[in-house]
Amino acid sequence: MRFAAAEIALVLRLFQADLAHQRKRIALTVIAIAWGTLSIVLLLSFGEGLKRSLSKGARGMGEGVAVVWPGATTRAFMGLPSGRRIAIREEDAELLRRCIPEIETLSLEYARHIPVTAGTKSVNTRVRGVEPEFGEMRNLHPQAGGRFLNAPDMAQKRRVVFLGEELARDLYGTEDAVGRAVQINQSSFLVVGVARKKLMMGMYSGHDRTQATIPATSFKAMHSDAEVGNLVYRPARPELSGRAKAELYRVMGRKHHFDPEDTRALGLWDTLEMQRINRDVAVGVQIFLGIIGGLTLFVGGMGVANIMYAVVKERTREIGVKMALGAKARQVMLPFVLEALLMTVIGGILGAAIALLLIFGLAALPLENEAFDLLGRPTFSPVIAVTTALVLGTIGAAAGYFPARRAAFVDPAESLRYE
Amino acid sequence: MMMIEMRAIRKTYRTGRVEVEALRDVNLDVDRNEFVAIVGPSGSGKSTLMNLLGCLDTPTAGAYRLSGESVAGLDRNRLAEIRNRHIGFVFQNFNLLPYASALENVELPLLFAGLPANERNERATAILEKVDLADRMHHKPGELSGGQMQRVAIARALVNRPTMVLADEPTGNLDSVSGRGIVGLFQELHAAGQTIVMITHDMAIARIASRVVQIRDGEIVEDKSAAA
Ligand SMILES: Nc1ncnc2c1ncn2[C@@H]1O[C@H](COP(=O)(O)OP(=O)(O)O)[C@@H](O)[C@H]1O
Ligand SMILES: [Mg+2]
């Protein structure tokens, strides 16, 4: 280490000497490294933003929920023909809750497209009747000052409604909707909450922001003939989703007389799969972007190596002198490796600084934009910092090591020849 | 035991298809505290002999023992160690590192030997004082005269207390006044017990040596010790 300390002082001096010598070339190389670092940091951060946005979007419909809807059999079963329609009955909800411990929460969902009216404004939209668990499960969170539907609403068949934020805006503009009355089907409903804005990439029957949500019991009171449109449930743990699904087909198959292997008898969408795929895609995109950034940096590294080869050639005599004085291979090589690392680090710091400036500048801009919602904003993370530092260090060390190895194999007698 | 024992040394250079026999059948013993001048015309193989003596190169054939140890077949790092411990080189063109101060140049052999900074500094300072350069320690080679540069180089050769100083035409690039100063310095070193092998053109310098070895066409043609 003592050796290294003295060497570093000499290396800095040497770097100064080289700088005077090859000013333009070194400047260009440092810029190339800075550019490479800039691109690797920006691309990785862009990938990170995309990853977070995708994962948020995939969770917008609810974390790990599954949706079930009526279907039709595709196989004959116990004397019953194929093609038979299978409906979901109100009492099935209770049955499933009781029989399948893997299911943590479950809600019925009735729905109809009907006009929702406030004063002179009227919007024809999807009105759904659900149970209180639906809100938390499906990620429907009220804005401040409001609430979602609760158990008393359900028990007392209250005429209360929770509005999607876009629907509330269409009806009331910028005014507060909570506490106001809306007409649904000639009945007056009290608005108890408006949904917070959220990113939602997967959906069935439209985005939550345009829908009106009322208690299932109130819905049934208005439409006694309504059939269950969907069952929404969430398994107790993500890894139980496969078991929960199989159990659901078994229990429903026994009650409604269909083959539990006949997966078309009931439609089922497990969003966990979507979340998994989204995550894999995002990671894939990030790796891809990282490799592109890495290649740019690699080109910069080649520039450093090139300079170092030139420097080794130029200093052949000096290498010979050091060898004559007893420098071992390691001691001959170290200055070249350090000098290459120095150039790489200077370029790296420059590039990283510019990248961070751009990333935090972009984050500070008050842009409201669909593109930002979907793609996310470039996001820096400790993993990106470590990855970039490792890639930079490796490239810098390699850019110094190979030229330095050539230095270590200089023939001292040859290099010191003097006529 | 002789400090240097060379037996039937040959060195052949191959450049493309041409072969040059730079040394043929050289036998040379050097004892402790000798001051050997190697003289001969240009191209006679003096520098080649010095490279072999200094373990900068290996002979094509023959045996070389330095302080009783055979140097045949040693790897590059081991040879570097031997040079560091046993040999102090002085070159015609000084070969100082231009960006380093006189002091740093003199510290180099100690740096390669792995000595701590304070010890390096002490020893390098002491030896620079001995060659009368106490007031030039922090100067770069470019700020020194030829004679001063060669004294820095001699200090660098001596700083690790080598078994032998090897000098190749140390006065070749100096004016006669500076050259005489350097010769005087070598004389003092010899008087103090330092073993020296010096290549030179100059018969006047050769006369102050304790022994003169004449070399021609890669062979030793005369080997005369001065009458003490
Ligand atoms: N590396 C080399 N490659 C080829 N020939 C060489 C090499 N070094 C020396 N020679 C040749 O060997 C002979 C001896 O050279 P050298 O030892 O330098 O002589 P001196 O130092 O006595 O002038 C010369 O003919 C020279 O051209
Ligand atoms: Mg010569």
Side-chain angles (χ1 to χ4, degrees), chain B residues 89-210:
Chain B
F89 287 96
V90 179
F91 304 96
Q92 180 173 356
N93 57 335
F94 324 129
N95 276 332
L96 300 174
L97 303 193
Y99 52 84
S101 68
L103 185 66
E104 284 168 332
N105 266 291
V106 175
E107 280 188 22
L108 275 178
L110 304 175
L111 185 67
F112 298 138
L115 260 65
N118 55 341
E119 204 170 323
R120 285 202 306 265
N121 192 280
E122 256 167 51
R123 277 171 66 173
T125 306
I127 205 93
L128 277 166
E129 279 164 3
K130 217 164 106 183
V131 298
D132 280 337
L133 285 173
D135 53 344
R136 293 285 186 278
M137 281 197 288
H138 300 291
H139 290 227
K140 300 267 168 72
E143 301 157 353
L144 299 173
S145 72
Q148 288 171 328
M149 282 197 269
Q150 196 60 299
R151 276 188 284 156
V152 173
I154 291 170
R156 183 177 68 181
L158 294 172
V159 74
N160 216 11
R161 296 165 194 146
T163 323
M164 155 172 73
V165 169
L166 279 180
D168 191 348
E169 313 239 16
T171 58
N173 279 15
L174 300 177
D175 61 82
S176 56
V177 178
S178 316
R180 272 201 295 278
I182 295 300
V183 171
L185 185 53
F186 274 110
Q187 243 176 325
E188 278 174 39
L189 292 173
H190 178 228
Q194 179 68 54
T195 310
I196 299 167
V197 176
M198 181 189 292
I199 290 166
T200 184
H201 264 98
D202 188 341
M203 282 315 282
I205 293 178
R207 268 195 291 279
I208 63 153
S210 63

Side-chain angles (χ1 to χ4, degrees), chain B residues 36-112:
Chain B
V36 183
I38 296 176
V39 296
S42 184
S44 56
K46 303 183 298 293
S47 294
T48 302
L49 179 59
M50 169 156 144
N51 286 343
L52 295 183
L53 285 170
C55 299
L56 285 171
D57 209 347
T58 46
T60 312
Y64 175 26
R65 300 170 76 82
L66 177 62
S67 283
E69 193 183 351
S70 171
V71 298
L74 296 181
D75 70 14
R76 292 171 68 95
N77 278 340
R78 187 76 190 93
L79 287 173
E81 246 171 66
I82 288 176
R83 289 193 294 268
N84 186 259
R85 232 166 357 106
H86 291 291
I87 317 282
F89 287 96
V90 179
F91 304 96
Q92 180 173 356
N93 57 335
F94 324 129
N95 276 332
L96 300 174
L97 303 193
Y99 52 84
S101 68
L103 185 66
E104 284 168 332
N105 266 291
V106 175
E107 280 188 22
L108 275 178
L110 304 175
L111 185 67
F112 298 138

Side-chain angles (χ1 to χ4, degrees), chain A residues 411 413-415 417-419, chain B residues 11-15 18-23 38-51 57 168-169 199 201 215 217-218:
Chain A
D411 177 354
E414 184 67 28
S415 69
R417 255 176 88 188
Y418 179 79
E419 308 299 337
Chain B
K11 182 68 184 179
T12 311
Y13 291 112
R14 241 174 236 101
T15 34
V18 194
E19 280 197 2
V20 180
E21 286 237 273
L23 291 177
I38 296 176
V39 296
S42 184
S44 56
K46 303 183 298 293
S47 294
T48 302
L49 179 59
M50 169 156 144
N51 286 343
D57 209 347
D168 191 348
E169 313 239 16
I199 290 166
H201 264 98
I215 184 167
D217 294 332

